[in-house]
Amino acid sequence: MHIPTEMLHGSVCSVSAALAIAGIALAAHAARKSPQQPGVLRFAAVSALIFVAQMLNFPVAGGTSGHLLGGVLAAALLGVPFGVLAIALVLGVQALLFADGGLAALGANVLVMALLGAGAGGMLNRWLQQRGLSQHMALLLAAWLSVLLAAAMCSFLLALGGVADWSSVLPAMLGVHARIGAGEALLTALLVPLFAGKRSEAGNWQALLPVLGGVLVALLLSPLASSQPDGLEWVAQQYGFLRESAPLFVSPLADYNVAALGESFWSTVLAGLAGVLAVAVAGGVLAWPLHRRRMWIAA
């Protein structure tokens, strides 16, 4: 659901960027005060997992595809504030290195996928569990609703800029993303127990191995991702607002390929590996000053 720059009016980009900056600042403050602080390496590893998982577009009905947004997943594994920061970090790397979403639209994408997807979705998951819902049911419901909430906000931004009519784009976006959200819900409910680990195990390197294994598996599967248009692209095609424009700069790994290798299996894998390393390094740099105690691994 990465919104490209050409789909947004300039003023919408500015307003959403301001909201995104405020939201990230609030998340960073909350992360600094949070009693649940993942270790630096765990934050970096989970952020890398989210990045590579977003490369895996899966087919859905109607000739469309979707990918994991990962908001509720990140919030469940890292805590809500760190989950917001992880998704924002991934979006920043995607815009800078892969031309995915575009720099001018980065604020809008952070607003849609990080602040709403991870922030609101993560808080909803926590609230549902506090109300007695089982972990699996809470994850399923929160992950599905987080995708619909993100789709609704995306529709609002498109309508606000006059790109699409609200009464048309909202039902279309909710319809296609209800199906994508089902995949998000199933993946989230599957991956959280797999990668969460136990707190008693969190102080050793073995606690990171499942996450790192997931990164490796997803990286090798990334060239097999569906080439069908994602939900937003499909809606844009249907309603005639899918546009292309010259990028502000040439991204070195545009479209998740190494230019010198063309579109091939190893081109995608190497581009993904570069993204994983970039996210992991940036994640470590981001997480280190946010910890009250300088924890490398502990959850």
Side-chain angles (χ1 to χ4, degrees), residues 284-295:
V285 172
L286 173 64
W288 180 255
L290 294 176
H291 284 82
R292 295 189 305 273
R293 295 170 294 154
R294 298 297 188 252
M295 300 179 297

Side-chain angles (χ1 to χ4, degrees), residues 190-251:
L190 173 67
L191 294 177
V192 168
L194 184 62
F195 296 136
K198 298 179 180 178
R199 288 188 177 273
S200 60
E201 300 172 341
N204 55 61
W205 287 88
Q206 286 75 17
L208 289 177
L209 292 181
V211 179
L212 297 177
V215 170
L216 178 61
V217 170
L219 192 60
L220 293 175
L221 290 176
S222 60
L224 306 178
S226 173
S227 60
Q228 297 284 355
D230 69 14
L232 175 57
E233 291 173 339
W234 183 85
V235 171
Q237 289 176 354
Q238 299 301 308
Y239 289 92
F241 60 88
L242 182 63
R243 306 184 183 96
E244 294 186 3
S245 62
L248 294 176
F249 66 98
V250 178
S251 299

Side-chain angles (χ1 to χ4, degrees), residues 6 16 59 188 201:
E6 53 268 20
S16 57
T188 301
E201 300 172 341

Side-chain angles (χ1 to χ4, degrees), residues 7-13 155-164 243:
M7 284 190 189
L8 293 178
H9 190 276
S11 60
V12 175
C13 291
S155 303
F156 174 73
L157 294 176
L158 294 172
L160 187 63
V163 174
R243 306 184 183 96

